[in-house]
Amino acid sequence: MGDQLIFTYIVDGDDFTRAGEASSSVKNKLKMLGVDSDVIRKVAIAMYEGEINMVIHADGGTITVSVSDDDITMVLSDSGPGIPDIEKAMQEGYSTAKEEVRSLGFGAGMGLPNMKRFTDEMNIDTVIGQGTTITMKVYL
Amino acid sequence: MTIGEIQRVLDAQFLYGEELSDLDADFVFSADMMSDVLAYGEKCSILMTGLCNSQVVRTAEMLDIVCIIFVRGKMPDANMLSLAMSKGIAILATKHFMFTACGILYEHGLRGGA
């Protein structure tokens, strides 16, 4: 593939119906680049969960996706409230989402575990009151 | 089982994608929580749900699902249909409840994907 490709998206925190547009765009771009379909699905699922989390918890944020010869790296940054207990947040079923979010089909405490499940590397950097940056890699 | 056969046995209505009737499907995932679908629905090509919002279509898109079946008479709005059309995802609506719809498809040889 040669040089590294970088895509950047601003995720709107106000509109739940538009959540997923960035992930959809990345999915299409990776298809056009001829990336393996299993890899695309992993990237799409992990990024989509992250994008939904940004809208639900952090009023939006920024996502940068870079494609190299070795991996696809997603960096999701927000200026939200931060994650007080990462260990708890990584447990399946643990959620701080409000009831209205659950009624929309999310907030079941599967977001972060799903992101870890579908990526080869995941790192969470969070500061209470300042925001969270999640870096995920899927190997090619 | 093809999407067309599924439509017939569920007495469902095609809201979009009649031209996709001949597509074959073996595995179905049924849930109202989209995070569960994302976690466990990886090998499924059909999503059955009673949840009705645009994130259902987005979830299906991420998993390369070819057909969404809305149960309990749920009807997607124009925005959802237009999103499904742009992604080439067939949309069926049946009045059956989830349990019954699952039972009918199971009887006809379809299986859960997780």
Side-chain angles (χ1 to χ4, degrees):
Chain A
M1 220 172 272
D3 294 336
Q4 194 176 52
L5 287 170
I6 297 176
F7 312 114
T8 303
Y9 298 89
I10 293 169
V11 177
D12 183 354
D14 293 329
D15 191 352
F16 184 77
T17 61
R18 291 186 56 198
E21 282 184 359
S23 306
S24 173
S25 165
V26 166
K27 192 171 191 270
N28 290 335
K29 285 191 164 86
L30 295 180
K31 255 189 206 167
M32 284 193 282
L33 289 170
V35 174
D36 177 77
S37 60
D38 285 342
V39 171
I40 295 178
R41 200 175 305 120
K42 285 181 187 174
V43 169
I45 293 171
M47 181 170 160
Y48 179 55
E49 285 281 18
E51 196 179 346
I52 291 282
N53 267 355
M54 272 184 166
V55 175
I56 291 173
H57 296 289
D59 199 24
T62 311
I63 302 177
T64 304
V65 179
S66 46
V67 184
S68 74
D69 286 339
D70 301 321
D71 58 56
I72 295 168
T73 304
M74 297 160 269
V75 180
L76 293 81
S77 298
D78 66 58
S79 306
I83 305 169
D85 189 335
I86 293 178
E87 206 175 308
K88 260 191 181 173
M90 289 305 300
Q91 287 171 16
E92 288 190 4
Y94 177 80
S95 175
T96 56
K98 292 175 189 153
E99 191 51 42
E100 62 181 273
V101 171
R102 287 167 212 253
S103 70
L104 295 167
F106 290 90
M110 296 297 285
L112 286 171
N114 277 353
M115 289 157 73
K116 190 167 177 64
R117 189 194 311 251
F118 289 102
T119 54
D120 296 304
E121 286 179 36
M122 178 168 142
N123 180 63
I124 302 174
D125 186 9
T126 188
V127 179
I128 299 303
Q130 289 185 35
T132 300
T133 296
I134 297 180
T135 306
M136 298 181 284
K137 271 185 198 292
V138 176
Y139 301 149
L140 288 172
Chain B
M1 197 172 188
T2 67
I3 294 177
E5 288 166 337
I6 291 172
Q7 180 256 328
R8 281 190 291 280
V9 298
L10 289 180
D11 196 17
Q13 193 183 342
F14 257 116
L15 301 180
Y16 167 68
E18 208 157 351
E19 65 274 21
L20 302 171
S21 290
D22 291 336
L23 279 181
D24 223 355
D26 296 318
F27 295 104
V28 181
F29 198 91
S30 56
D32 287 349
M33 290 306 286
M34 292 302 108
S35 284
D36 285 344
V37 182
L38 289 163
Y40 306 117
E42 214 186 346
K43 72 183 230 194
C44 293
S45 43
I46 305 267
L47 168 60
M48 187 189 293
T49 186
L51 186 73
C52 203
N53 67 43
S54 57
Q55 297 310 329
V56 174
V57 184
R58 287 280 181 215
T59 299
E61 179 195 358
M62 300 307 154
L63 291 167
D64 298 320
I65 278 167
V66 296
C67 175
I68 301 169
I69 304 166
F70 289 102
V71 295
R72 305 194 289 271
K74 294 286 171 74
M75 282 293 184
D77 63 19
N79 288 337
M80 289 172 64
L81 284 177
S82 127
L83 188 59
M85 284 164 80
S86 71
K87 306 298 174 194
I89 300 169
I91 303 285
L92 294 175
T94 177
K95 287 188 175 156
H96 288 301
F97 284 20
M98 181 95 91
F99 180 82
T100 309
C102 288
I104 291 169
L105 294 188
Y106 196 90
E107 270 188 341
H108 283 83
L110 290 183
R111 292 295 178 262

